[in-house]
Amino acid sequence: MSTPTKAPREAVIEVRGLCNRFGSQSVHENLDLDVYKGEILGVVGGSGTGKSVLLRSIVGLRRPTEGEVRVFGKDLLSLHEAERSLIERRFGVLFQKGALFSSLTVTENIALPLIEHAGLSRPDAEHLACVKLALAGLPLSAADKYPSSLSGGMVKRAALARALALDPDILFLDEPTAGLDPIGAAAFDQLILTLRDALGLSVFLVTHDLDTLYTITDRVAVLSQKRVLVAAPIAEVEDFDDPWIHEYFHGPRGRAAYEAATQRKEQ
Amino acid sequence: MEPTTITAMAGDAQLDTSSNPARLKISGQWTLVNYARLKLLTEQLAGKYDARTQIDLDDVSRLDTAGASLLVELLGSERVAQLADSATKLPAADRALLQTVYSSMRDFCVPVKAVEVNLGIQLLSRIGCSVDKLWQDTLQLLGFIGVILQTLARNFFRPKQWRITPVVAQIEQIGLNAAPIVALLTFMVGAVVAFLGATVLSNFGAGIYTVDLVAFSFLREFGVLLTAILMAGRTASSFTAQIGSMKANEEIDAIRTLGLDPMDLLVLPRVLALLIALPLLTFLAMMAGILGGAVVCVVSIGISPDMFISMLHSDIGVKNFLVGMVKAPFFAFLIAAVGCLEGFKVSGSAESVGAHTTSSVVQSIFIVILLDAVAALFFMEMGW
Ligand SMILES: Nc1ncnc2c1ncn2[C@@H]1O[C@H](COP(=O)(O)OP(=O)(O)O)[C@@H](O)[C@H]1O
Ligand SMILES: [Mg+2]
């Protein structure tokens, strides 16, 4: 785990009083959350507690029923198209199911934002796309394949490569290591950490992977009872007085991940 | 010798050949924003320095993955590996980035482009491919029709396995919901045919035969043909899209692994529903078309409704109605078969769903018209 910067922390994402309802079902009630510049924030919660909905609200894909979401100090939904697009370019989003464009090859998927936003020529963009692919750990043989012929883990990697295409300021990852082999997942963690350190990324990381939580997150936010129950460094979250959190971190898997992480640090 | 300098506002690389050994000074922002220019710069510098050249990364102010990959290409991964260890003035984070990028690019090579082929050969090969595809498609369709008939026969004797609910649901969707549009469309075409007839036939003083024209054309041809074409556009496409997106989503595979048969579950209800709905709609179309003609006759050539009915009775045998009606089940079967088959041909992507939907509409309309022409010839020769 890396130490978070101690300087006065600048929030890149501020969520205030967020409510999300689908008909009579309420998913979030008065949810508050900050994501600080340069931190890796892990977001955990049981299945169906609204982690993906929270992510969609932050990136402006979903208008919250109530409440406010400010990214870089601006409310995305109240901006004009052009301004909004400028901010959205600073996002990299990895969707839970990858959301690769099925009519484009993997390389074209990654080259698309490079051509559209960075103004690269097609050959340059495809060249750089191959670099991103290599970074995300995809073999080059996958470069010219269509998403439908990739395995689940490869889709995740290709989607990560696309999310990283523009070297974004904020990276949103929705369960990125689900479906990856453990070696791949560990490499994934290291990659995120390296990129964060080098590029000063802020990372909003939805995950169920306890190893990832222990290895790379600076803070962990627990979504439960329709709000963020606690958002703090993992050591504090572990000791939070809530049965679900206790079960989560002190269950057999939680302990194993904790021990593995401490061992790794001692080496 | 003059130092080779290509200055850039933000990112820069200068080769200073005056000192010995030469020094390559890399500075500024090596980021995506400057990518196109830096790429040019690195291409110009390539080969102008050798292993002894000293490389100075101290003034690099910003580095991202795009810039790092350019550095790896410029300097080679071994050089970068050394630098990542030795360039101590570079922030540790940037060195880690360099390390990550070079290690992932080590076994990196640019994918080879496909070889250009002569235009004439391309043309020939495309023609060949299309002909072959047409042949394969025909074979596939015939095979699929066979499988449908087989499934139909198998299920016919097992009433317990009849899936009534999906059939009824499909009939509602493709029959009942299409009734208004079918009726409206054929009503208007009926009116148009009557207008044409009234204009042309009146010249010979035979305006009264407009009634025969409308009735003959709708009972024998237009009723069933218009309905079938509408169904091809409306229903074949929706069959393809429904089954195709299930295929793309691996739902068809899921059905198979559950030990179920997609033919039973998806195809048969659709085929049966269309087999029932299309004849009913055809009847509706015939009536609406004749009604449209009748309205024009009454309004513009002054044939009274009574006269219209009595002309129908005396001139138009029920044979004509049967000739039209008997084609409906055949059209229905083929439209449903093409729609479902194209759905099964979908492979993975959303684009493929679109392509096969288009293809199913085109094919089913083509087949309907072709079959209708053949049928017209047949009935004419038989004198029916
Ligand atoms: N478009 C939608 N319409 C209705 N309900 C939705 C929609 N999207 C999500 N939900 C509901 O919101 C809840 C949270 O979903 P989600 O954020 O996907 O969960 P998770 O935390 O597992 O990512 C679930 O109960 C889901 O049924
Ligand atoms: Mg989710």
Side-chain angles (χ1 to χ4, degrees), chain A residues 102-104 114 118-120 124-128 130-132 134-136 140 143-144 146 148 164-167 169 191 194-195 197-199, chain B residues 32-33 35-36 39 43 62-67 69 73 93-94 96-97 100-101 104-105 107-113 347-351:
Chain A
S102 56
S103 55
L104 303 179
L114 291 169
L120 298 192
D124 278 358
E126 291 193 345
H127 183 80
L128 194 53
C130 288
V131 176
K132 305 271 170 179
L135 261 181
L140 262 179
D144 286 330
Y146 284 91
S148 52
L164 290 174
L166 294 172
D167 282 318
D169 291 332
L191 176 66
T194 310
L195 290 175
D197 292 342
L199 309 174
Chain B
L32 181 61
V33 194
Y35 188 84
K39 176 128 196 184
E43 276 162 12
R62 270 198 72 188
L63 194 63
D64 65 6
T65 47
S69 77
E73 278 157 32
D94 283 351
L97 180 67
T100 313
V101 171
S104 57
M105 282 174 74
D107 39 18
F108 169 76
C109 59
V110 185
V112 275
K113 282 265 169 282
S347 64
S349 68
E351 195 185 26

Side-chain angles (χ1 to χ4, degrees), chain A residues 22 25 27-28 45-54 62 96 174-175 206 208 223:
Chain A
F22 295 101
Q25 179 199 10
V27 180
H28 301 132
S47 297
T49 46
K51 303 179 295 292
S52 301
V53 173
L54 176 62
R62 185 188 147 71
Q96 194 166 0
D174 200 345
E175 305 197 11
V206 176
H208 290 301
L223 230 64

Side-chain angles (χ1 to χ4, degrees), chain A residues 3-194:
Chain A
T3 43
T5 38
K6 276 290 169 245
R9 298 197 288 180
E10 175 195 342
V12 284
I13 300 174
E14 299 157 89
V15 181
R16 292 287 174 271
L18 180 77
C19 299
N20 271 312
R21 301 191 192 102
F22 295 101
S24 60
Q25 179 199 10
S26 150
V27 180
H28 301 132
E29 288 292 338
N30 270 321
L31 182 149
D32 294 337
L33 179 68
D34 282 327
V35 181
Y36 299 110
K37 190 168 164 47
E39 80 166 344
I40 300 181
L41 175 74
V43 178
V44 301
S47 297
T49 46
K51 303 179 295 292
S52 301
V53 173
L54 176 62
L55 189 151
R56 291 172 63 83
S57 308
I58 294 176
V59 297
L61 289 172
R62 185 188 147 71
R63 187 175 286 280
T65 318
E66 274 168 48
E68 193 184 32
V69 177
R70 301 178 80 79
V71 184
F72 302 117
K74 295 194 178 105
D75 182 1
L76 274 186
L77 291 173
S78 66
L79 290 181
H80 289 295
E81 282 285 304
E83 286 175 285
R84 189 174 155 172
S85 166
L86 274 181
I87 291 193
E88 280 169 348
R89 259 171 240 189
R90 299 167 67 184
F91 292 166
V93 185
L94 188 160
F95 288 95
Q96 194 166 0
K97 290 178 193 153
L100 294 173
F101 305 121
S102 56
S103 55
L104 303 179
T105 65
V106 170
T107 320
E108 286 165 346
N109 258 286
I110 303 163
L112 182 79
L114 291 169
I115 295 171
E116 294 294 325
H117 288 321
L120 298 192
S121 66
R122 178 166 282 274
D124 278 358
E126 291 193 345
H127 183 80
L128 194 53
C130 288
V131 176
K132 305 271 170 179
L133 270 184
L135 261 181
L138 259 185
L140 262 179
S141 55
D144 286 330
K145 286 195 176 148
Y146 284 91
S148 52
S149 49
L150 297 183
S151 76
M154 288 160 92
V155 168
K156 282 274 157 74
R157 287 167 187 274
L160 176 74
R162 188 178 69 184
L164 290 174
L166 294 172
D167 282 318
D169 291 332
I170 311 181
L171 197 55
F172 295 91
L173 306 171
D174 200 345
E175 305 197 11
T177 47
L180 288 191
D181 58 283
I183 302 174
F188 197 99
D189 291 349
Q190 279 316 308
L191 176 66
I192 301 293
L193 206 53
T194 310

Side-chain angles (χ1 to χ4, degrees), chain B residues 19 28 63 130 141 161 167 174 194 208 236 275 277 302 347 352 355:
Chain B
S19 64
L63 194 63
S130 319
L141 182 62
Q161 288 188 8
V167 175
I174 63 189
I208 187 77
L275 271 174
S347 64
S352 164

Side-chain angles (χ1 to χ4, degrees), chain B residues 25-47:
Chain B
K25 191 167 165 48
I26 292 167
S27 59
Q29 300 195 344
W30 282 66
T31 54
L32 181 61
V33 194
N34 304 317
Y35 188 84
R37 223 193 28 241
L38 288 171
K39 176 128 196 184
L40 268 182
L41 193 66
T42 54
E43 276 162 12
Q44 281 164 350
L45 279 172

Side-chain angles (χ1 to χ4, degrees), chain A residues 241-256:
Chain A
D241 186 21
D242 177 85
W244 189 84
I245 295 183
H246 190 84
E247 179 80 29
Y248 194 94
F249 288 100
H250 296 270
R253 283 162 169 259
R255 281 303 87 193

